[in-house]
Amino acid sequence: MNALAARRRHPAAIAILLFLGLALVGTAYSLLAPKSAQAAVSTADDVALGKQLFLANCATCHGLNAEGTKSGPTLMGVGAASVDFQMGTGRMPLAGPNVQAPRIDKVKYTEEEIAAIAAYVASLAPGPAIPEGKETTGEGGNVALGGEIYRVNCAMCHNFAGSGGALTRGKYAPSLYGVEGKYIYEAMLTGPQSMPVFNDTNLTPEAKASVIAYLKMTQSEPNVGGMNLGNLGPVSEGMFIWIFGLLLMIACAFWLGQKAA
Amino acid sequence: MSTTASARTAADLRADDAKVTSATGSKAGAAAIWVDERTGIAKGAAYMMKKVFPDHWSFMLGEVAMYSMIICLLTGVFLSFWFVPSAGQIPYNGSYVPLQGVIMSEAYSSTLGISFDVRGGLLIRQIHHWAALMFCVAITVHMLRVFLTGAFRKPRELNWVIGSILSMLAIVEGFAGYSLPDDLLSGTGIRAAEGFIRSIPLVGSYISYLLFGGTFPGEAIIPRLYSVHVLLLPAVLIGLFTAHIVLVMVHKHTQFPGPGRTNENVVGFPLMPVYTAKAGGFFFMVFGVLALISALVTINPIWAYGPYDPSPVTAGSQPDWYMGFADGALRLLPGFLEFELFGFTWSMNVFLGAVALIPLMYTAAGVYPWIEAWVTGDKREHHLLDRPRNAPTRTAIGMAAFSFYVVLMFAAGNDIMAIRLQLSINDVTNLFRLLVFVVPVIVFWVTRRICLSLQRHDREKVLHGRESGTIVRTAEGKFFERHEDLDEFDRYKLVAFESPAPLALPSATDLNGVSSKDAKKARRRVAWSNFFFKTRVEPVTPAELAAAHHHGEHEAIPGGSGHAAIKHDKHPH
């Protein structure tokens, strides 16, 4: 203990203490953090089951007959594609009131349950069905054409690289990294939240496939320039040069200044 | 009328040079004499080689800027071998697959070529861009260093002005550079710049037409920006930079106060051989760091942005960081500042931030030396620097101005902050609108308090020594912490500064009782002098030091360990 006490004023003491504190808190958190409970599993896949699930999980906000309430819009005519997108990406059911439903990777419903609710919602009024072509994987799409369509229609909100961007009053265009082709297709088809609808006369299925192909290509290509700093444009580059560039330069200058002549 | 010059021989030119005996022997010596006989350079070279520079890491920040600029020049030459400054539209058929077949400008196509098809091209392009960012960072911190240490005072005011102009031109040069590749982001930048130019009252649309050779985008802007970027501005930058360096040579370098360092000397090492080695080595370190960053971290991935086309725009369109403050000001200005008067639209919501702010800020910086000189009435030359804490008000002014700049710069990233921190962009913008006024005031006050308390701490240290952390118990059972005296070197640094008193108010009437015309002017100056110097901490005088030592601090213990603290004549209580 004496050895420790003697070094309590060592320049590195604060850094070491800070590191130990952070490590301790981090470990404790990972051990004690609450784990999410397992959702119930269902097997049937029909409109009746869908209705049951709807009444239990969705009706509070969307109304007993999906007619909509003050807290949620009507689901008449949104189609199965919309349900598949919203529930498949974990956006629905909404955990709490917010400006926008966030994407949640841990989806609490099985594919069968989502399909059942989608079938129920689709049975209420006609709407876009869940797309099931090769278009949803981007297969056969023209990458260069997809890039042009993307830059004209998508980049102003989702950013040039699909890193996402801010909208007004806390709303945002989410990042497109790692989003399944099917969900990108459904988003274009149904226009969730602040996004406009790109129906099949606006963007043909081939054009949609091209956009998906472009995104897949740019996301899977190697970073030829090195680390991409989040692909956020000049802001992250400026931060990098101020923090790391300047620090390295000052370290060099300091080291050289310490050198005897 | 004509003048005649008597013919001078080469020997005359060197008449007052130190005599060199021809028997020097070495080949290098012979070569040097050969050159000297034809150019008369020996005198100047000897003067330069003996030039003394003081050692301090902060004096090398300007060097970082200088080397970054040189690196930009070298890499820029390489880039110009392949870059085609043309807006002519061609289909792309290079090796970057996602853009193959897309119609784009030759400028963009050739930049893609540099990035993907020229060996080492991407690395050189990234070094060029990172070095440009580093150039502006180094200029900014160098300016801060010069300001906060008072290095701009007489006789260096003109060099401060030259430096300010260099700093402003550097950002214009940077803008011209990142606008050239004609990718989506740079095109958006030119689009914005065109709007800024149009916001200039009355003449804006004419200037825009002249610059763009017609309506936006046209085909003229890229070749024109190219000429500005590779010819005009580099020439002006190098010219001003040379003047900057020559003036440093003429004035001699400033130094921090210390034993043996006076206003009349420079304590350090000569250019040859010490600084030639150090500065030369530092160039390679700067180049090495920039090359390392460029090899590891992407900057401006133009291939990802795609070609420019006036209809699309990307989220997160920001300028490079050094233009950020102007972009931030633009984002903060409220829309109601646009109005119509006399049949013209006055877009003050754009003009004030995007156009007027830049020259205004640099003018404010440029005239500061005269403002301070007027307040202090100080006409002396200053070759000794102030430690920032020893000029609390100046330091506070500098930090407040810099914080204003930083708030504006951060405001340019309002959308990135909103999405990364999950905030509302409206709230972020409104917060910055508040901060831009509040932060400088708080920073001013806090900085001044910190400076004053550091000065008081220095006084305390000089008078009572350094806290040793050793607790001593006397024979009577008293406890106290032993203080160790500073050595003379350390003490000198803490007491060698000036702390001018505020000017006294002159009498409102002259000797004959007539009210003085100058009294009002003088009162204003006294008010400013009070603002600068009313709260101040004076350096410890020798008398105070002697008194403190004589008073006998309790730290002295009879028969103690022989520490510096008890070498002085002190008596225990």
Side-chain angles (χ1 to χ4, degrees):
Chain A
M1 226 43 206
N2 260 342
L4 271 182
R7 284 178 180 82
R8 71 192 189 280
R9 282 165 191 259
H10 190 273
I14 290 178
I16 292 171
L17 272 180
L18 207 63
F19 177 78
L20 285 178
L22 285 171
L24 192 73
V25 172
T27 319
Y29 177 80
S30 66
L31 291 176
L32 302 176
K35 308 279 189 295
S36 56
Q38 287 293 315
V41 180
S42 135
T43 48
D45 178 16
D46 56 42
V47 176
L49 174 68
K51 180 164 188 178
Q52 241 179 354
L53 284 166
F54 182 87
L55 289 174
N57 298 293
C58 321
T60 320
C61 302
H62 292 291
L64 290 172
N65 297 305
E67 77 278 17
T69 68
K70 276 181 192 166
S71 349
T74 172
L75 300 183
M76 296 294 170
V78 298
S82 195
V83 177
D84 191 53
F85 173 82
Q86 298 284 359
M87 296 193 69
T89 58
R91 287 180 165 82
M92 288 290 149
L94 200 54
N98 205 337
V99 284
Q100 183 168 328
R103 171 181 158 191
I104 293 166
D105 288 330
K106 266 192 185 169
V107 180
K108 293 192 181 66
Y109 295 82
T110 61
E111 277 180 40
E112 291 77 29
E113 288 169 325
I114 294 170
I117 297 173
Y120 168 68
V121 170
S123 74
L124 299 173
I130 298 172
E132 277 166 4
K134 62 183 171 62
E135 286 89 5
T136 57
T137 58
E139 204 185 310
N142 177 338
V143 172
L145 177 70
E148 284 194 296
I149 295 171
Y150 179 84
R151 281 188 292 278
V152 172
N153 296 293
C154 321
M156 74 275 278
C157 299
H158 288 284
N159 144 311
F160 64 95
S163 306
L167 303 176
T168 52
R169 308 209 176 276
K171 296 193 284 285
Y172 57 90
S175 161
L176 301 179
Y177 278 87
V179 181
E180 253 180 73
K182 182 175 81 160
Y183 294 129
I184 295 176
Y185 196 101
E186 285 173 348
M188 288 190 272
L189 201 61
T190 63
Q193 310 200 28
S194 306
M195 184 163 160
V197 173
F198 297 92
N199 60 32
D200 283 350
T201 41
N202 189 323
L203 280 185
T204 61
E206 294 75 44
K208 289 193 179 84
S210 296
V211 171
I212 293 166
Y214 170 75
L215 285 170
K216 291 216 156 165
M217 170 110 199
T218 51
Q219 286 174 14
S220 61
E221 71 184 359
N223 292 330
V224 284
M227 281 183 275
N228 63 22
L229 301 178
N231 264 335
L232 290 172
V235 170
S236 48
E237 293 160 6
M239 250 179 97
F240 183 86
I241 198 73
W242 266 98
I243 295 172
F244 294 99
L246 184 61
L247 212 70
L248 281 170
M249 291 302 174
I250 289 181
C252 288
F254 201 81
W255 177 78
L256 206 60
Q258 299 292 303
K259 290 271 135 188
Chain B
M1 198 176 139
S2 67
T3 49
T4 45
S6 57
R8 293 178 74 197
T9 62
D12 286 341
L13 280 171
R14 298 192 312 276
D16 23 304
D17 286 10
K19 287 282 167 283
V20 183
T21 46
S22 54
T24 43
S26 77
K27 272 186 179 168
I33 289 169
W34 189 91
V35 173
D36 182 44
E37 282 174 352
R38 279 146 190 88
T39 60
I41 204 173
K43 205 172 170 184
Y47 171 79
M48 285 289 298
M49 284 180 187
K50 279 185 260 173
K51 205 85 193 155
V52 169
F53 286 92
D55 240 349
H56 193 270
W57 67 267
S58 71
F59 298 161
M60 297 170 96
L61 295 170
E63 269 180 72
V64 175
M66 171 166 84
Y67 297 145
S68 302
M69 186 179 81
I70 293 170
I71 292 164
C72 276
L73 288 172
L74 294 175
T75 50
V77 171
F78 180 91
L79 296 177
S80 73
F81 292 161
W82 283 279
F83 180 70
V84 183
S86 158
Q89 300 287 304
I90 51 161
Y92 176 71
N93 53 13
S95 56
Y96 185 64
V97 177
L99 288 171
Q100 275 168 3
V102 174
I103 303 290
M104 58 179 66
S105 66
E106 286 181 88
Y108 185 59
S109 172
S110 60
T111 314
L112 285 172
I114 290 171
S115 305
F116 291 102
D117 299 314
V118 173
R119 193 168 297 274
L122 180 58
L123 178 64
I124 298 288
R125 220 198 91 224
Q126 299 206 134
I127 293 178
H128 190 70
H129 205 147
W130 278 123
L133 293 200
M134 194 68 235
F135 180 43
C136 294
V137 171
I139 285 181
T140 310
V141 285
H142 173 62
M143 254 181 115
L144 268 177
R145 195 281 291 173
V146 168
F147 185 89
L148 297 177
T149 58
F152 56 81
R153 289 173 295 174
K154 188 183 172 185
R156 295 181 178 78
E157 302 100 319
L158 279 181
N159 221 13
W160 167 257
V161 172
I162 292 176
S164 301
I165 298 171
L166 271 171
S167 164
M168 188 171 79
L169 289 181
I171 65 176
V172 180
E173 172 71 344
F175 171 81
Y178 74 68
S179 295
L180 287 177
D182 201 33
D183 58 290
L184 184 53
L185 185 65
S186 74
T188 307
I190 299 182
R191 182 38 149 173
E194 198 248 354
F196 304 158
I197 293 165
R198 283 181 177 223
S199 76
I200 301 171
L202 308 178
V203 294
S205 50
Y206 299 98
I207 296 180
S208 160
Y209 256 61
L210 283 174
L211 285 179
F212 284 81
T215 48
F216 178 88
E219 301 223 318
I221 192 67
I222 287 175
R224 285 179 187 181
L225 275 178
Y226 185 67
S227 298
V228 170
H229 182 72
V230 307
L231 282 174
L232 179 67
L233 282 176
V236 179
L237 279 173
I238 291 171
L240 285 174
F241 158 74
T242 309
H244 200 65
I245 291 292
V246 167
L247 279 176
V248 171
M249 297 286 176
V250 170
H251 294 141
K252 301 179 179 62
H253 206 289
T254 50
Q255 56 188 350
F256 278 107
R261 295 174 180 182
T262 69
N263 217 19
E264 275 78 44
N265 68 8
V266 183
V267 179
F269 297 102
L271 193 62
M272 195 75 189
V274 177
Y275 267 95
T276 320
K278 276 200 174 189
F282 195 46
F283 171 77
F284 289 106
M285 292 171 89
V286 171
F287 206 143
V289 167
L290 284 172
L292 185 73
I293 289 175
S294 307
L296 297 177
V297 188
T298 316
I299 186 163
N300 196 14
I302 49 124
W303 56 88
Y305 288 111
Y308 183 61
D309 158 0
S311 53
V313 70
T314 162
S317 287
Q318 263 93 5
D320 274 4
W321 80 263
Y322 41 84
M323 274 289 182
F325 72 99
D327 187 32
L330 182 70
R331 286 170 192 236
L332 297 190
L333 282 168
F336 64 74
L337 290 172
E338 180 172 280
F339 52 90
E340 282 181 33
L341 199 66
F342 307 123
F344 294 100
T345 302
W346 304 73
S347 296
M348 291 301 117
N349 54 338
V350 176
F351 178 73
L352 293 179
V355 182
L357 179 72
I358 300 175
L360 268 179
M361 245 176 53
Y362 282 96
T363 309
V367 301
Y368 181 82
W370 285 274
I371 297 175
E372 194 185 296
W374 175 78
V375 172
T376 56
D378 191 351
K379 301 271 187 286
R380 296 168 302 161
E381 288 202 359
H382 291 277
H383 300 288
L384 280 178
L385 296 172
D386 283 329
R387 294 172 81 206
R389 69 183 62 173
N390 290 335
T393 306
R394 179 204 298 142
T395 304
I397 290 174
M399 291 314 292
F402 187 60
S403 70
F404 174 75
Y405 175 86
V406 169
V407 171
L408 288 182
M409 186 169 81
F410 272 81
N414 59 355
D415 56 333
I416 305 285
M417 272 174 230
I419 186 163
R420 290 284 129 178
L421 306 176
Q422 301 185 349
L423 298 166
S424 153
I425 191 170
N426 307 58
D427 297 344
V428 173
T429 308
N430 285 329
L431 179 70
F432 274 112
R433 283 176 176 153
L434 180 73
L435 290 182
V436 78
F437 294 107
V438 173
V439 167
V441 177
I442 295 176
V443 166
F444 179 87
W445 187 80
V446 169
T447 308
R448 191 146 82 159
R449 297 318 305 174
I450 290 175
C451 286
L452 290 169
S453 53
L454 282 172
Q455 278 187 298
R456 290 202 191 95
H457 180 64
D458 283 352
R459 264 187 77 89
E460 186 69 20
K461 237 158 95 174
V462 170
L463 290 175
H464 305 297
R466 181 188 297 116
E467 289 175 11
S468 67
T470 314
I471 307 295
V472 177
R473 196 177 80 167
T474 63
E476 303 94 75
K478 275 188 187 171
F479 288 92
F480 64 85
E481 183 180 9
R482 182 162 60 217
H483 285 220
E484 287 169 7
D485 254 12
L486 302 175
D487 64 38
E488 304 228 295
F489 257 72
D490 289 336
R491 187 189 302 139
Y492 187 94
K493 287 175 190 167
L494 301 186
V495 296
F497 67 92
E498 288 179 354
S499 174
L503 300 174
L505 200 62
S507 75
T509 55
D510 63 15
L511 289 171
N512 301 320
V514 180
S515 70
S516 164
K517 276 180 184 169
D518 295 334
K520 196 176 169 191
K521 212 169 147 190
R523 266 204 298 278
R524 202 181 305 143
R525 192 160 147 188
V526 168
W528 276 104
S529 182
N530 270 313
F531 170 71
F532 264 74
F533 303 118
K534 198 171 180 195
T535 5
R536 69 197 184 100
V537 175
E538 287 182 65
V540 176
T541 60
E544 283 176 315
L545 188 64
H549 280 173
H550 205 74
H551 258 276
E553 259 71 43
H554 32 243
E555 64 253 40
I557 352 158
S561 60
H563 245 290
I566 54 162
K567 276 184 185 161
H568 297 275
D569 180 19
K570 277 179 267 172
H571 311 285
H573 287 222

